[in-house]
Amino acid sequence: MKLKNVVKHFKLITHHKWVVFKLCCKIGEPWRGFLHDFSKYSPTEFWESAKYYVGEYSPITEAKKDKGYSEAWLHHKGRNKHHAEYWVDRRAPEVTPIIPYPYAVEMICDKLAAGIIYQGKKWTKEYELEYWNEEKGKIEINNKMKDFITVVMTQVAEQGIDKTLTKRNIKQLYKKYCEE
């Protein structure tokens, strides 16, 4: 493992946390933004991710290619409620329940921040909707949550982050798609 990858990975996850925090503040959830992804600094997640660091996408992808799985991902998804995978329980009456509001909006901010960080200057407001449209068929998540995320990403693509990520707008969309 190269020291420069350790430093670059630390900077990457810290920058990502900062962007998530700023986005969470826009929607009135600063505490979720502050707590976001602290597990990435844990030894299990940090060292594997530093080892497979590439800078242009998640090192978890590289770990999975190399080993067939990622210890960092297994650790991460089991501790972070903003990931849909956290909520999957095949033995529960509802295998994929609706994710509670604070974690659902943290998920939105996380997805946007990941795109912003990994795409850098190439990021556009349309990027995340395109990415989500590819991802949503592969992810196990409640259909109401899929609809909520799709509408938010569509609004971001059409109106931008500032007009979409307001406390009022996001609460209304969550209520419309996830509570009714």
Side-chain angles (χ1 to χ4, degrees):
M1 182 178 339
K2 297 177 183 175
L3 179 59
K4 72 176 185 175
N5 285 359
V6 172
V7 173
K8 285 181 178 181
H9 180 63
F10 179 83
K11 288 171 129 178
L12 179 95
I13 61 177
T14 304
H15 187 204
H16 172 75
K17 276 186 59 57
W18 175 245
V19 174
V20 171
F21 175 73
K22 290 193 305 185
L23 295 174
C24 282
C25 286
K26 285 181 176 293
I27 56 172
E29 292 290 334
W31 189 242
R32 292 291 351 126
F34 175 73
L35 293 175
H36 180 77
D37 277 357
F38 268 117
S39 70
K40 286 190 177 183
Y41 298 102
S42 71
T44 301
E45 293 183 38
F46 186 84
W47 293 115
E48 182 183 82
S49 296
K51 177 181 177 181
Y52 290 100
Y53 175 84
V54 288
E56 296 175 14
Y57 53 88
S58 175
I60 287 167
T61 304
E62 288 300 303
K64 287 178 180 180
K65 285 180 192 174
D66 183 40
K67 301 188 303 185
Y69 69 99
S70 166
E71 290 175 59
W73 175 240
L74 294 172
H75 187 269
H76 189 74
K77 73 176 182 167
R79 285 158 182 78
N80 292 279
K81 296 178 182 182
H82 65 276
H83 286 287
E85 295 84 355
Y86 177 93
W87 297 94
V88 176
D89 184 351
R90 296 194 200 314
R91 294 184 182 210
E94 183 66 46
V95 174
T96 56
I98 292 174
I99 299 169
Y101 178 81
Y103 308 114
V105 297
E106 182 183 357
M107 177 191 298
I108 295 286
C109 295
D110 183 41
K111 289 179 178 306
L112 288 167
I116 290 166
I117 298 301
Y118 285 122
Q119 291 297 303
K121 293 180 182 184
K122 296 185 294 182
W123 187 85
T124 65
K125 61 187 174 80
E126 297 81 18
Y127 171 80
E128 208 55 51
L129 177 60
E130 293 166 11
Y131 187 84
W132 172 246
N133 283 335
E134 292 175 20
E135 179 187 15
K136 71 181 175 184
K138 303 172 192 169
I139 190 169
E140 206 169 355
I141 189 171
N142 184 288
N143 285 332
K144 289 181 178 183
M145 292 302 307
K146 275 186 186 179
D147 293 343
F148 168 66
I149 296 166
T150 301
V151 168
V152 172
M153 296 308 177
T154 300
Q155 282 190 6
V156 168
E158 293 171 353
Q159 302 170 18
I161 287 176
D162 290 338
K163 288 187 178 177
T164 304
L165 292 190
T166 66
K167 185 175 182 177
R168 182 174 186 219
N169 184 51
I170 296 300
K171 278 191 178 271
Q172 285 177 342
L173 292 174
Y174 183 85
K175 185 175 182 178
K176 178 179 180 180
Y177 289 93
C178 300
E179 291 179 355
E180 293 178 355

